[in-house]
Amino acid sequence: MASSIQRITEANRTSWNLIAPMRRGEPADFFRNGGLALEQFELDLVGDVKDKRVLHLACSCGDQVLSWATLGATAIGIDISDVAIEMAERKATETGIAAEFRQADMFDLPVDLVKLDLIYLSWGAVCWVPDLNEFARILAERLRPGGSVLMCDHHPIWEVLAVRGDNQLAVAGDYFGRSTPRADTDDAKRPVGARGQTKPPPFSAFVWPASDVVMALINAGLQLTAFFEAPAPEIYDGLGVSASQLPAYYAIKATKPTQTPIVSD
């Protein structure tokens, strides 16, 4: 019998496959010309990735995976959508960049993906996690000692606020919703490819408070090495100048200790 997580993720996979063709990312020429689909602060947090094993979870069309590979990493992308993986593989072939893509659930990763130097999640990943503590355990288990998780994601504040006009906001979700799927009441919170549709495909997404994300990683045995929040006014489209006064995304880096902590009696 399928678990509740499997039922949720499989239903989401069906919907992702429907919208994946509309999520094409950067063209192949962008990468052939040396372009990187990564933010400078992400590069600064990670440092040199040459010859490092980098796994991108929820990689979509593969732009960031190709970027890590361009920087010299052994880069692997995982996505639940087989359509997205096919698109990523075609783009890798067109660019001539050596990167690997596999269709898999983040909660059921291939057994060989272990001793990783970096597990990367970006811009809409944590909201697809039904069980945060189990997910953090999986991440910690797959890292090598000294390896890190880097999460750069939409802020949960953005997830629950809906723009209703200049300097006008409405609460359109529960900041403390956690493992209860959020009510899909604001079109801007739907994935790209599902917005603006009269009958968008259904998704089960979750709002995890930022503190829960941090503590899940710590409780999984990782050490917090970076955490910051920042604005991105463009994702509060229509709000006006007030958009720069709200958090839009956060970045978290957590590292697996190189030695097992000694617990005193």
Side-chain angles (χ1 to χ4, degrees), residues 161-240:
L161 294 180
V163 175
R164 295 292 185 255
D166 187 35
N167 203 33
Q168 296 181 36
L169 290 166
V171 178
D174 183 359
Y175 186 87
F176 303 103
R178 297 185 169 95
S179 58
T180 300
R182 73 182 181 204
D184 197 2
T185 57
D186 183 32
D187 190 60
K189 307 308 182 288
R190 297 187 179 109
V192 172
R195 297 172 190 169
Q197 297 187 28
T198 304
K199 293 183 178 180
F203 288 94
S204 290
F206 305 86
V207 178
W208 293 103
S211 57
D212 283 26
V213 179
V214 169
M215 291 309 302
L217 294 170
I218 291 174
N219 290 335
L222 303 181
Q223 296 178 342
L224 187 68
T225 54
F227 175 42
F228 70 84
E229 303 160 289
E234 64 274 11
I235 78 167
Y236 288 99
D237 185 36
L239 185 60

Side-chain angles (χ1 to χ4, degrees), residues 45-145:
L45 283 170
V46 172
D48 186 8
V49 295
K50 184 174 174 57
D51 298 325
K52 300 290 182 65
R53 296 188 74 209
V54 176
L55 175 65
H56 183 185
L57 299 180
C59 71
S60 188
C61 62
D63 285 6
Q64 287 85 5
V65 179
L66 296 175
S67 300
W68 293 120
T70 296
L71 294 169
T74 299
I76 305 163
I78 293 289
D79 198 274
I80 198 169
S81 167
D82 42 295
V83 176
I85 289 298
E86 290 171 3
M87 293 170 60
E89 289 175 332
R90 286 197 298 270
K91 189 179 295 189
T93 299
E94 292 171 10
T95 61
I97 298 172
E100 182 181 354
F101 295 95
R102 305 190 203 177
Q103 188 274 326
D105 185 344
M106 295 190 295
F107 280 83
D108 188 21
L109 296 174
V111 295
D112 62 311
L113 295 182
V114 293
K115 298 182 180 179
L116 298 163
D117 295 286
L118 176 69
I119 299 176
Y120 173 68
L121 300 96
S122 67
W123 314 110
V126 175
C127 65
W128 305 111
V129 173
D131 187 328
L132 188 60
N133 289 322
E134 174 63 11
F135 185 60
R137 185 197 66 77
I138 291 170
L139 299 182
E141 182 181 66
R142 297 304 181 110
L143 290 171
R144 67 161 179 81

